[in-house]
């Protein structure tokens, strides 16, 4: 089972950009479907986007589509979340999540579908 460590969060002005990274331990990273979720204070954890283990499929929440991009580098055991045109409503703790054993192109959007989670990284967007 992999362990996940997120990094790259911080404080940014509205309209700015950040790139989050999620580094995974273990030698089977390429078999894992990876997801990004976020949770704002007082709100439920929500799906941001995900990438299939094959990297063929990426899925995004409507709220971030066109602004966020997910990619993965299996040689570095890392998945990235590139966030552009950030808005104050993007402020949240961002988590990466992993699940193996899924279909080649599958990207679940429910948090319950992922069994391994990172500790989260705070993203704050000021207006």
């Amino acid at each position: 089972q992999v362990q996940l460590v997120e990094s790259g969060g911080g404080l940014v002005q509205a309209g700015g950009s950040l790139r989050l990274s999620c580094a995974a331990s273990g030698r089977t990273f390429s078999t894992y479907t990876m997801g990004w979720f976020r949770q704002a204070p007082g709100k439920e954890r929500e799906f941001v986007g995900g990438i299939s283990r094959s990297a063929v499929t990426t899925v995004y929440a409507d709220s971030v589509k066109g602004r966020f991009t997910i990619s993965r580098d299996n040689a570095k055991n890392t998945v990235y979340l590139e966030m552009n045109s950030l808005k104050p409503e993007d402020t949240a703790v961002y988590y990466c999540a992993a699940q193996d054993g899924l279909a080649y192109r599958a990207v679940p959007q429910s948090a319950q579908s992922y069994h391994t989670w990172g500790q989260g990284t705070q993203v704050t967007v000021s207006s």
Side-chain angles (χ1 to χ4, degrees), residues 110-124:
S110 67
Q112 291 77 8
S113 297
Y114 296 85
H115 291 167
T116 302
W117 291 80
Q119 83 289 351
T121 185
Q122 176 70 47
V123 171
T124 304

Side-chain angles (χ1 to χ4, degrees), residues 10 12 19 24 26 32-33 35 45 52 59 62 65 68 71 82 90 95 102-103 108 116 119 121 125:
V12 63
R19 187 176 80 156
Y32 282 79
T33 300
R45 190 168 298 190
S52 64
V59 178
D62 288 343
K65 202 171 293 184
F68 290 11
S71 60
E82 185 77 33
D90 293 318
Y95 299 89
L102 299 178
T116 302
Q119 83 289 351
T121 185
V125 184

Side-chain angles (χ1 to χ4, degrees), residues 36-77:
W36 283 98
F37 291 77
R38 66 186 182 187
Q39 188 166 18
K43 295 188 176 182
E44 293 188 354
R45 190 168 298 190
E46 66 173 356
F47 176 78
V48 174
I51 186 166
S52 64
R53 60 183 177 92
S54 63
V56 170
T57 304
T58 52
V59 178
Y60 299 94
D62 288 343
S63 59
V64 307
K65 202 171 293 184
R67 299 188 298 123
F68 290 11
T69 302
I70 295 173
S71 60
R72 66 189 297 161
D73 185 339
N74 287 343
K76 295 183 177 180
N77 283 12

Side-chain angles (χ1 to χ4, degrees), residues 2-8 19-36 51-53 55 69-82 96-98:
V2 295
Q3 292 184 322
L4 306 174
V5 178
E6 301 98 333
S7 61
R19 187 176 80 156
L20 305 184
S21 299
C22 174
S25 63
R27 293 180 290 179
T28 60
F29 176 71
S30 61
T31 68
Y32 282 79
T33 300
M34 302 299 296
W36 283 98
I51 186 166
S52 64
R53 60 183 177 92
T69 302
I70 295 173
S71 60
R72 66 189 297 161
D73 185 339
N74 287 343
K76 295 183 177 180
N77 283 12
T78 302
V79 63
Y80 303 98
L81 179 65
E82 185 77 33
C96 69

